[in-house]
Amino acid sequence: MIKNRRKIHEGKAKVLYEGPKTGTIIQHFKDDATAFNGERHEIIDGKGVLNNRITEYIFLAMEEIGIATHFIKRLNMREQLIKKVEIIPLEVVVRNVIAGSLAKKLGMKEGTKLSRSIIEYYYKDDALNDPMVTDEHITAFDWATPSELEDMVATTLRVNDFLTGLFYGIGIQLVDFKLEFGRHVEDGNMRIILADEFSPDNCRLWDIKTGEKLDKDRFRQNLGGLVNAYQEVARRLGILNENGDVIDSDEKVKGDKPTLVK
Ligand code: TMP
Ligand code: ASP
């Protein structure tokens, strides 16, 4: 771990430090869990380690199919090296099944499959409690250009199709999730790449057979067993060893593959 490094930003679940080279950042995953815009807060031992590893796995898989992300490499149990981007102040949410705020807002039953996936945008501003916005607001206020928004939507739908299949293969229904994007300049060209993280903190994952929640709703709804649930996701992805420990950086493990559930 680099000593005396400069902290750039501290969020609710992660800290960003200046990276070793220009244009790089170290993303540190904390054990903090918050809900309702930080109103509830708890430390959950081991959550950061799992989210670091799950995000690494998912972002590497995306890179493999040609979706550009900010991920460079994992540094240790809690930290990863990422590319510095200019974050677009939007949370892009995709929903495949009715749950969470959609169920609440429209008085609909949780668990109903949507006939087509829905994309929603939220403006990232804690003071305003991340209000939902439309594409009209996004382009009128220059949070993103129409072509950037088009790129984000196309990437989001690709991520959704890919991850829906990936999780289906390990017996998990991808109900909904949140993505964030950033502008990255490489060789003088600017493009939009996937940023932030992908972990059970930012998505809903339900066991296909039992309906059990394997995501942060365990915390939001006081169900308990959050670490066990995240471990179960990691185990099915093939990134936990037999002792239930997260497989560390260069530990090359046979069977480091998703566990197919029949
Ligand atoms: P919602 O149903 O509460 O609107 O959440 C939709 C999805 O977005 C769900 O998978 C959780 C994720 N999410 C975040 O990652 N961060 C947030 O601040 C919120 C509200 C939701
Ligand atoms: N991440 C948000 C918070 O800190 C909301 C959530 O995930 O439910 O409150």
Side-chain angles (χ1 to χ4, degrees):
M1 217 185 273
I2 304 157
K3 283 200 183 122
N4 304 321
R5 55 196 182 177
R6 198 169 71 84
K7 192 191 274 186
I8 298 170
H9 175 79
E10 177 149 10
K12 288 184 281 246
K14 297 188 292 293
V15 189
L16 300 181
Y17 298 97
E18 212 163 59
K21 283 196 197 133
T22 321
T24 65
I25 285 182
I26 293 165
Q27 176 161 258
H28 176 106
F29 289 77
K30 301 192 284 184
D31 280 340
D32 300 59
T34 66
F36 316 114
N37 199 16
E39 223 173 88
R40 263 191 61 213
H41 177 220
E42 259 176 55
I43 305 291
I44 301 182
D45 259 1
K47 180 174 81 82
V49 171
L50 284 156
N51 283 354
N52 184 29
R53 196 66 181 84
I54 293 170
T55 295
E56 174 194 28
Y57 181 89
I58 300 285
F59 276 23
L60 283 177
M62 300 224 231
E63 293 279 355
E64 293 237 345
I65 63 155
I67 295 171
T69 81
H70 72 169
F71 184 83
I72 301 172
K73 64 171 182 179
R74 186 157 63 91
L75 297 171
N76 55 53
M77 296 294 269
R78 285 185 182 273
E79 296 175 331
Q80 45 186 244
L81 190 66
I82 59 171
K83 295 173 184 167
K84 189 174 187 166
V85 298
E86 185 193 347
I87 285 284
I88 292 173
L90 296 173
E91 300 198 337
V92 181
V93 168
V94 192
R95 302 178 185 274
N96 300 309
V97 177
I98 296 177
S101 70
L102 179 66
K104 200 167 166 207
K105 208 175 305 174
L106 301 181
M108 286 174 172
K109 198 169 165 296
E110 207 175 72
T112 310
K113 284 197 185 105
L114 292 159
S115 56
R116 67 178 192 89
S117 306
I118 295 177
I119 295 190
E120 298 172 348
Y121 312 103
Y122 294 86
Y123 178 53
K124 268 168 73 74
D125 187 325
D126 281 343
L128 298 175
N129 207 1
D130 297 349
M132 193 199 259
V133 293
T134 70
D135 51 352
E136 300 267 328
H137 301 101
I138 294 168
T139 52
F141 297 121
D142 289 329
W143 295 326
T145 66
S147 102
E148 286 174 336
L149 191 56
E150 214 176 279
D151 274 8
M152 286 190 277
V153 169
T155 303
T156 300
L157 292 174
R158 237 185 122 200
V159 167
N160 187 39
D161 282 347
F162 174 61
L163 292 185
T164 295
L166 186 146
F167 282 111
Y168 181 79
I170 55 170
I172 292 173
Q173 184 176 31
L174 178 61
V175 172
D176 54 29
F177 61 89
K178 184 261 296 186
L179 297 179
E180 291 187 29
F181 293 88
R183 298 184 183 96
H184 184 245
V185 179
E186 211 170 313
D187 307 324
N189 294 317
M190 203 267 291
R191 66 169 175 163
I192 302 283
I193 63 176
L194 204 56
D196 193 49
E197 66 175 282
F198 191 101
S199 76
D201 267 11
N202 328 93
C203 63
R204 289 196 170 90
L205 302 172
W206 296 351
D207 182 89
I208 287 176
K209 279 198 190 134
T210 64
E212 195 189 352
K213 295 183 176 178
L214 302 172
D215 57 66
K216 204 174 117 183
D217 270 352
R218 301 211 69 86
F219 172 73
R220 296 189 192 97
Q221 301 174 359
N222 274 312
L223 300 171
L226 180 131
V227 165
N228 283 344
Y230 286 30
Q231 275 176 339
E232 177 62 17
V233 174
R235 192 187 63 74
R236 291 196 203 178
L237 289 172
I239 53 183
L240 277 195
N241 66 21
E242 291 107 42
N243 309 323
D245 297 326
V246 170
I247 293 162
D248 197 9
S249 0
D250 303 316
E251 202 180 317
K252 211 50 213 138
V253 176
K254 279 190 203 130
D256 186 1
K257 283 199 190 89
T259 314
L260 288 178
V261 173
K262 283 171 201 126

